[in-house]
Amino acid sequence: MLLLLALGAGWWLRPRLVPGSPVAATTSAAAAPGRFPERMRGVSWVGTDSVSSLDMAPLTRAGVSWIAQTPFGWQAGAATPAVRLSIGKGNRHYWGESDAGLIATAQRAREQGIRTLLKPHLWLRGGGGTWPGDVKMTSEADWQAWFASYSTFILHYARLAESAQLDGLCIGTELAQTVSHEAEWRALIKQIRQAYHGPLTYAANWSGEFEQVGFWDALDFIGVQAYFPLSTTERPTKKALLVAWREPLRRLEAVQKKYGKPLVFTEIGYKTTPDAAVEPWAWPNHLDVLTPPDEATQAACYAAMFETFWPRPWFGGLFIWKWYPALQPDGPARRHLDFTPQHKPAEHIMAEWFRK
């Protein structure tokens, strides 16, 4: 069922469709001017060394209609004005993050009526930085060099998304120190529009970056990496989590109202640990494998999040972090503790809301 909302034209610029697919059946309504297409019911896909239609079956059973694929670019340090594409000889990465793997995975997904958001990330190799939010140049010349290098990186994926008919492109992820360079981002968006004719977003960090981005109007929807801290204690109740969401909800609604764009959680997820709501962005450490998993807390986090946002007419959907192809119920303890909802009560909650 489509959620048809008059939130402004331009978000669904050119649907990527396979004739006869479930997605194709929604074309006329989704593409209608001024209408909002089907809400994004997504998961963040983990690239591996192969993909088959069998890997997609659990997604369709869970009501998933989108996957986000994440190739990486590499940067030597936070102040190093050069981004290296992870392609070509001598570059080590999963096949699923290569151009060929991205295209093949999207094709397998499309056969099941599942759309693809291409969401490239940067990986910092040290040198004073540990995540993309640390990227910050020390001179104007280095800023210009960085934007030139990053443009080469992201335009590669814009052309790939166009040639493979992918359904959406995220032009950057959590590059918080760069968004004040609005003119450079706007110029880059114009270049990307020339290469790729599908919908665009940017994935801004929860901690305030999403409120600092000044170029949301140039994109098709607002993307937020929604790892908001919701508790200071372990094992919060769903009731407490619902209360904790009120302030982030207020901030998100303010940005959405200002720009009049659908707002999508480009990432959201919770570990299977008692402290899942304390620092939701933090990965389990090696000592966490000694801790019994806490599926009830993870499930409460999912329930509170869906109850808070799914009824909001401006909410464009979300991508759950993350989904491992072919993960078995008796997989490694680290997998059981980490962010995936697979084979846990959280997956049932996700599926229930996705099927609404």
Side-chain angles (χ1 to χ4, degrees):
M1 180 180 294
L2 295 177
L3 180 66
L4 300 179
L5 303 172
L7 290 178
W11 127 268
W12 205 254
L13 301 180
R14 192 172 77 192
R16 314 295 189 171
L17 303 173
V18 177
S21 73
V23 175
T26 70
T27 306
S28 59
R35 296 293 184 176
F36 189 65
E38 184 180 0
R39 181 167 283 173
M40 300 170 105
R41 297 161 165 83
V43 296
S44 296
W45 180 268
V46 178
T48 56
D49 59 359
S50 65
V51 65
S52 74
S53 58
L54 292 176
D55 294 324
M56 299 295 163
L59 298 180
T60 57
R61 289 196 296 269
V64 172
S65 61
W66 283 79
I67 59 171
Q69 293 199 71
T70 306
F72 282 89
W74 305 91
Q75 191 166 322
T80 303
V83 177
R84 182 170 62 84
L85 276 165
S86 184
I87 59 175
K89 294 181 179 179
N91 288 299
R92 298 180 61 187
H93 53 69
Y94 287 114
W95 170 85
E97 296 172 9
S98 69
D99 288 1
L102 295 168
I103 293 169
T105 301
Q107 289 173 338
R108 297 289 84 75
R110 187 179 294 127
E111 290 167 1
Q112 304 301 318
I114 297 172
R115 297 176 177 179
T116 294
L117 174 70
L118 187 59
K119 186 170 176 280
H121 283 214
L122 290 189
W123 188 279
L124 272 61
R125 291 188 178 276
T130 57
W131 71 299
D134 291 327
V135 171
K136 185 177 182 180
M137 301 302 109
T138 57
S139 69
E140 183 58 29
D142 280 355
W143 271 120
Q144 295 306 312
W146 184 87
F147 270 100
S149 184
Y150 186 80
S151 296
T152 299
F153 165 73
I154 198 65
L155 285 167
H156 169 83
Y157 288 109
R159 288 186 285 269
L160 183 147
E162 180 73 9
S163 64
Q165 296 285 285
L166 302 186
D167 305 282
L169 175 66
C170 182
I171 67 169
T173 299
E174 297 180 333
L175 295 164
Q177 305 291 336
T178 76
V179 296
S180 61
H181 293 257
E182 187 173 332
E184 288 87 345
W185 274 109
R186 288 186 180 275
L188 177 54
I189 291 167
K190 289 181 180 179
Q191 293 182 66
I192 294 169
R193 293 281 192 201
Q194 293 172 357
Y196 173 68
H197 298 87
L200 302 180
T201 192
Y202 173 87
N205 189 258
W206 65 270
S207 61
E209 183 190 2
F210 74 93
E211 295 160 308
Q212 298 163 3
V213 173
F215 49 85
W216 288 129
D217 62 291
L219 301 172
D220 299 296
F221 60 100
I222 297 165
V224 179
Q225 307 279 89
Y227 297 107
F228 294 90
L230 301 172
S231 179
T232 58
T233 62
E234 296 183 348
R235 300 181 179 88
T237 64
K238 185 181 77 170
K239 181 178 179 180
L241 293 167
L242 288 168
V243 172
W245 266 119
R246 291 175 184 171
E247 178 58 17
L249 173 63
R250 183 196 64 78
R251 294 167 57 198
L252 292 162
E253 281 186 320
V255 171
Q256 190 282 323
K257 184 177 180 180
K258 178 179 178 180
Y259 291 96
K261 304 277 185 176
L263 188 147
V264 172
F265 289 162
T266 41
E267 283 181 25
I268 190 167
Y270 299 95
K271 296 172 292 185
T272 321
T273 58
D275 63 349
V278 177
E279 293 183 340
W281 62 87
W283 282 87
N285 61 47
H286 66 283
L287 294 178
D288 285 337
V289 297
L290 304 176
T291 304
D294 187 348
E295 295 182 351
T297 294
Q298 185 191 45
C301 291
Y302 271 64
M305 180 270 295
F306 275 105
E307 288 182 26
T308 299
F309 291 96
W310 211 251
R312 310 285 167 177
W314 48 262
F315 188 62
L318 55 85
F319 289 83
I320 293 292
W321 186 270
K322 57 188 340 190
W323 190 275
Y324 297 93
L327 182 67
Q328 298 302 310
D330 57 351
R334 188 173 180 82
R335 286 285 181 264
H336 189 68
L337 288 169
D338 86 357
F339 288 87
T340 180
Q342 291 163 271
H343 312 299
K344 305 170 188 176
E347 182 179 356
H348 297 292
I349 293 170
M350 179 191 81
E352 180 183 357
W353 285 94
F354 277 3
R355 292 178 187 134
K356 286 183 184 292

